[in-house]
Amino acid sequence: MAKIKVRNTGELIQGEENVRSFLDKQGVLYEHWDPKKLPERLQENFNLSAEDKEEILATYDSEIKDLAQRRGYRTWDIVVLSEQTPNIEELLKKFEQVHTHTEDEVRAITAGEGIFIIKGDDSVGYFDVILSPGDVISVPEGNPHFFTLTDLRKVVAVRLFIETEGWIAHPYEDPAFVK
């Protein structure tokens, strides 16, 4: 279940309804899909074949299509980040820069953990959303953020896009941001 740490105050927000309420006030969509729907062999698998990825997408087909229909997403895929990922450090450096997109950035975590660092309104500042299996988040278009891994250093996620080109970041310089 997702947890939020507000960087300015150190406040920790837990519990599905509390997380949803906080993120809703910041314009960030949060949902929770049943992580137990996945076959057990895929629940902690970070070395996925093309067939495994298709099975994950098929398992969550109704959830993906429902979200896509409600929000206008046209394409989706699976991303896997772990120590087995070629050039993992290079990829993380690219992801770990504050940036924006011209569409929502959507992730549905199916295994492992990840953290979205998101710029909230002026009263909140930056906050970390720690995601685990079943957590679904959509950071709105134009909202400064970045994604990284937890100390577990493994994640599998469904990504949904409006643009068929996939993930395109636009750097966002913010002197107020401190890693």
Side-chain angles (χ1 to χ4, degrees), residues 100-104 141-142 162-163 168-170:
T100 62
H101 300 281
T102 56
E103 65 175 286
D104 302 346
E141 170 186 345
I162 295 171
E163 301 298 329
I168 301 169
H170 304 283

Side-chain angles (χ1 to χ4, degrees), residues 80-83 85-99 113-115 146-150 152-155 167 179:
V80 180
L81 298 173
S82 72
E83 293 302 329
T85 304
N87 303 316
I88 185 68
E89 295 306 324
E90 301 295 317
L91 281 173
L92 289 175
K93 284 179 189 169
K94 184 171 90 170
F95 294 159
E96 292 176 348
Q97 302 297 317
V98 177
H99 60 269
E113 300 173 341
I115 304 172
F146 73 89
F147 182 82
T148 192
L149 299 176
T150 67
L152 181 64
R153 293 188 55 80
K154 307 179 207 190
V155 72
W167 194 86
K179 267 198 177 185

Side-chain angles (χ1 to χ4, degrees), residues 43-102:
Q43 289 181 15
E44 288 299 319
N45 186 345
F46 301 94
N47 190 14
L48 301 173
S49 67
E51 293 80 17
D52 293 335
K53 291 177 181 181
E54 287 303 317
E55 187 172 353
I56 292 170
L57 293 174
T59 299
Y60 289 108
D61 185 65
S62 63
E63 291 89 342
I64 292 167
K65 286 181 177 170
D66 175 63
L67 185 59
Q69 190 271 331
R70 285 185 283 131
R71 312 267 303 183
Y73 306 127
R74 299 186 311 173
T75 185
W76 40 88
D77 66 11
I78 297 285
V79 63
V80 180
L81 298 173
S82 72
E83 293 302 329
Q84 291 86 26
T85 304
N87 303 316
I88 185 68
E89 295 306 324
E90 301 295 317
L91 281 173
L92 289 175
K93 284 179 189 169
K94 184 171 90 170
F95 294 159
E96 292 176 348
Q97 302 297 317
V98 177
H99 60 269
T100 62
H101 300 281
T102 56

